[in-house]
């Protein structure tokens, strides 16, 4: 079902849903993976409610309290976790055994640990990538998919954002992004940044991480640079975010071939799905969400006419809240 939102007529107003009230986690802990990684996780909402798992973006981002507020706390039991190497998971910024496949194993590990049979998977940006990959590998464990800012992690998408494309719309921000990279290396910005983000000198890592993170912050919202929630250590956060994200992108998501995710969609078509996409999303352009919906026509598809990539833009919040409310009624 398509619901491609158009700009409202002059004088027209529509009531948009807002986030649910702030809520504290009722449990938290660190989950052992059998290797060097320990994963921070938390649960909020109703311990007897319908189960959901939230997958944060990046790779290399982290969960934050706002992510709890996309779900009716009376109806949902919501699990959130920091993926390998980021947020409160340990060790920070580690690239060891940090791949898409190990993260999928972590989701399953957490599901078993929490005693969940099936759950709704909620993810935006890289979180949508991971949600789709998890659903492809474990469709029997997925009751629903709520996706925002769809990212299929193709070379076309990576080139758009890190080489030629978004730079045409944000030449000022792009100039800051390429600034730390010598002209002779700018033909492959991901490779150039990867070299610096895995450098043995933490100062080199920090300088590259600051520029890498700023580029995304400058382009994420049509309302201007997006302010992230305060982090316990901004340098640690930036290094983890940039190192892990670039690590995944330099390795093309660890997928067997370019475009792999879209080719697997037949495996998830029976899963109820909601896709929410900002019309003016520059980070993960509409083309990918459109292609996913065409391959998965059973999914609910909302194009938000006045939104970019950020999950906190009003139209995106509205559509995501409506999606989780609908998913809560699934039987």
């Amino acid at each position: 079902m398509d619901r491609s939102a158009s700009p409202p007529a002059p004088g027209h107003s529509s009531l948009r849903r807002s986030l649910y009230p702030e809520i504290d986690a009722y449990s938290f802990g660190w989950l052992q993976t059998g290797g060097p990684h320990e994963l921070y996780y938390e649960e909020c909402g109703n311990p007897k409610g319908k189960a959901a798992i939230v997958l944060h973006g990046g790779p290399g981002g982290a969960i934050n309290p706002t992510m709890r507020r996309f779900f009716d706390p009376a109806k949902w039991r919501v699990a959130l976790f920091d993926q390998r190497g980021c947020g409160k998971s340990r060790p920070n910024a580690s690239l060891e055994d940090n791949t898409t496949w190990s993260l999928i194993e972590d989701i399953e590990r957490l599901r078993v640990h929490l005693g969940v049979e099936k759950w709704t998977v909620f993810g935006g940006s890289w979180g949508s990538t991971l949600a789709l990959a998890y659903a492809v590998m474990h469709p029997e464990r997925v009751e629903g998919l709520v996706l925002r800012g769809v990212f299929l992690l193709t070379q076309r998408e990576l080139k758009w954002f890190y080489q030629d494309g978004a730079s045409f719309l944000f030449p000022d921000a792009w100039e800051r992004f390429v600034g730390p990279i010598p002209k002779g290396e700018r033909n492959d910005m991901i490779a150039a940044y990867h070299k610096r983000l895995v450098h043995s000198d933490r100062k080199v890592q920090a300088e590259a991480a600051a520029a890498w993170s700023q580029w995304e912050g400058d382009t994420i919202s049509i309302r201007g640079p997006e302010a992230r929630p305060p982090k316990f250590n901004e340098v640690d956060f930036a290094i983890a975010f940039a190192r892990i994200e670039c690590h995944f992108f330099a390795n093309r998501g660890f997928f067997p071939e370019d475009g792999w995710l879209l080719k697997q969609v037949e495996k998830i078509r029976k899963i109820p799905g909601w896709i929410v996409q900002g019309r003016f999303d520059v980070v993960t352009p509409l083309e990918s969400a459109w292609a996913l919906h065409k391959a998965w026509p059973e999914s609910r598809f909302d194009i938000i006419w006045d939104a970019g990539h950020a999950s906190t833009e009003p139209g995106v919040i509205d559509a995501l809240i409506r999606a989780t409310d609908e998913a809560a009624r699934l039987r």
Side-chain angles (χ1 to χ4, degrees):
M1 176 178 179
D2 289 346
R3 191 174 72 178
S4 304
S6 301
H12 172 81
S13 64
S14 59
L15 182 63
R16 281 178 160 174
R17 299 288 302 278
S18 57
L19 294 168
Y20 281 100
E22 292 184 8
I23 185 173
D24 292 328
Y26 65 75
S27 72
F28 67 91
W30 277 265
L31 182 67
Q32 301 294 326
T33 64
H37 294 277
E38 295 178 288
L39 307 176
Y40 173 78
Y41 70 91
E42 60 185 37
E43 291 184 275
C44 64
N46 180 353
K48 296 183 179 180
K50 182 181 285 287
I53 177 76
V54 173
L55 304 180
H56 66 68
I63 60 174
N64 64 66
T66 300
M67 295 177 182
R68 306 170 189 162
R69 301 176 61 193
F70 288 98
F71 302 84
D72 183 339
K75 297 178 179 178
W76 287 99
R77 174 192 179 189
V78 182
L80 309 91
F81 78 104
D82 288 327
Q83 295 161 27
R84 295 186 178 207
C86 55
K88 296 179 183 178
S89 291
R90 305 180 289 230
N92 182 256
S94 173
L95 304 181
E96 182 181 351
D97 193 20
N98 200 341
T99 71
T100 303
W101 313 113
S102 57
L103 298 185
I104 289 172
E105 291 175 2
D106 291 341
I107 298 169
E108 271 296 275
R109 186 175 287 111
L110 182 60
R111 183 190 62 77
V112 172
H113 177 73
L114 298 178
V116 171
E117 183 68 22
K118 296 180 71 171
W119 48 13
T120 294
V121 184
F122 179 104
S125 194
W126 156 254
S128 75
T129 319
L130 184 56
L132 286 166
Y134 173 74
V136 166
M137 301 304 294
H138 298 282
E140 73 285 357
R141 300 303 181 187
V142 181
E143 192 168 45
L145 282 166
V146 179
L147 309 175
R148 187 267 312 165
V150 169
F151 179 40
L152 301 176
L153 218 165
T154 63
Q155 293 188 46
R156 179 177 173 85
E157 291 164 301
L158 294 175
K159 182 179 179 182
W160 158 267
F161 193 61
Y162 293 106
Q163 206 62 50
D164 293 303
S167 58
F168 300 162
L169 299 176
F170 292 87
D172 49 345
W174 181 255
E175 189 170 299
R176 291 190 290 272
F177 180 59
V178 301
I181 306 301
K183 290 184 179 180
E185 296 182 56
R186 292 180 185 176
N187 64 315
D188 190 338
M189 292 295 292
I190 290 177
Y193 266 97
H194 186 261
K195 180 170 73 174
R196 289 156 177 81
L197 289 166
V198 299
H199 199 280
S200 58
D201 187 334
R202 182 173 169 82
K203 182 179 178 182
V204 174
Q205 289 184 28
E207 290 174 349
W212 178 278
S213 302
Q214 185 63 50
W215 167 239
E216 185 160 324
D218 284 341
T219 56
I220 197 171
S221 173
I222 63 172
R223 297 176 296 166
E226 184 80 357
R228 293 194 316 270
K231 300 294 173 181
F232 63 94
N233 184 312
E234 288 291 341
V235 174
D236 284 350
F237 175 81
I239 289 177
F241 174 76
R243 267 173 61 88
I244 296 170
E245 190 167 74
C246 195
H247 163 71
F248 272 74
F249 296 169
N251 287 283
R252 303 297 188 260
F254 301 93
F255 291 126
E257 59 179 317
D258 191 40
W260 181 83
L261 264 182
L262 199 59
K263 295 175 182 177
Q264 310 304 310
V265 171
E266 191 63 32
K267 298 175 183 177
I268 67 166
R269 283 187 58 182
K270 293 182 180 179
I271 298 173
W274 292 260
I275 300 171
V276 176
Q277 184 73 31
R279 168 70 72 182
F280 300 106
D281 188 334
V282 172
V283 181
T284 59
L286 177 57
E287 179 183 74
S288 295
W290 182 259
L292 176 62
H293 178 59
K294 297 293 283 186
W296 184 21
E298 299 84 0
S299 60
R300 172 70 170 268
F301 188 37
D302 285 349
I303 301 174
I304 312 305
W305 70 272
D306 59 349
H309 185 68
S311 64
T312 52
E313 299 194 58
V316 174
I317 290 174
D318 172 67
L320 289 174
I321 294 293
R322 293 178 189 276
T324 60
D325 282 358
E326 290 177 10
R329 295 192 288 268
L330 288 177
R331 290 292 182 267

